[in-house]
């Protein structure tokens, strides 16, 4: 265990971050593609798999944008995600994907 307060993205960088046109396009496309789902009561566990066509793609670099899209579509605050299980799969170019499941996290008392 390392006794240090985790650093947020907001604390790590100066200045304002602006969403790129590519980000807006991604959000719009995700909104169109995401199915209607019944989301359980929080807290959540997010199980997510990304299909990349490049072995050099970083798994952590795609999480924030994807989680933002999921929370916007399904109407929850992403701070209600208490656990993330993320996997990276290599696929042929043109076969990239995102597969996910949002489940209720059963916490032990």
């Amino acid at each position: 265990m390392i006794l240090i307060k985790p650093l947020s993205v907001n604390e790590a960088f100066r200045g304002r971050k602006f969403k790129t046109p590519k980000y807006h396009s991604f959000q719009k496309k995700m909104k169109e593609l995401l199915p209607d789902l019944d989301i359980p009561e929080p807290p959540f566990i997010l199980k997510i798999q990304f299909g990349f066509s490049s072995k050099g793609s970083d798994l952590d670099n795609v999480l924030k944008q994807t989680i933002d899209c999921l929370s916007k579509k399904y109407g929850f605050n992403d701070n209600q995600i208490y656990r993330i299980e993320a996997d990276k799969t290599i696929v042929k170019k043109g076969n990239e994907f995102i597969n996910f499941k949002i489940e209720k996290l059963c916490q032990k008392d």
Side-chain angles (χ1 to χ4, degrees):
M1 179 182 312
I2 301 169
L3 298 176
I4 188 170
K5 181 181 175 185
L7 187 65
S8 73
V9 171
N10 294 334
E11 294 171 314
F13 299 97
R14 282 191 204 142
R16 240 179 119 178
K17 288 185 165 189
F18 293 96
K19 293 178 181 173
T20 65
K22 199 169 189 175
Y23 183 88
H24 288 292
S25 176
F26 174 78
Q27 274 190 322
K28 183 179 177 189
K29 187 70 170 176
M30 281 283 288
K31 187 177 178 185
E32 294 169 2
L33 294 173
L34 286 169
D36 291 332
L37 294 176
D38 290 326
I39 301 299
E41 290 295 314
F44 304 123
I45 177 171
L46 174 63
K47 297 179 179 181
I48 193 159
Q49 180 184 26
F50 295 94
F52 294 109
S53 59
S54 170
K55 290 180 182 178
S57 296
D58 289 346
L59 184 59
D60 62 330
N61 282 347
V62 296
L63 283 169
K64 180 66 177 154
Q65 302 78 254
T66 304
I67 291 170
D68 285 349
C69 289
L70 293 175
S71 65
K72 193 173 263 191
K73 167 73 176 185
Y74 300 118
F76 65 88
N77 190 321
D78 60 4
N79 71 2
Q80 295 172 322
I81 299 172
Y82 278 47
R83 182 181 303 150
I84 298 172
E85 294 177 9
D87 294 303
K88 170 179 170 176
T89 302
I90 304 303
V91 297
K92 290 184 179 180
K93 191 169 182 86
N95 292 331
E96 297 85 357
F97 68 87
I98 300 170
N99 190 26
F100 71 95
K101 190 172 190 179
I102 300 169
E103 299 177 344
K104 180 170 183 54
L105 177 65
C106 297
Q107 294 180 319
K108 297 178 182 176
D109 293 328

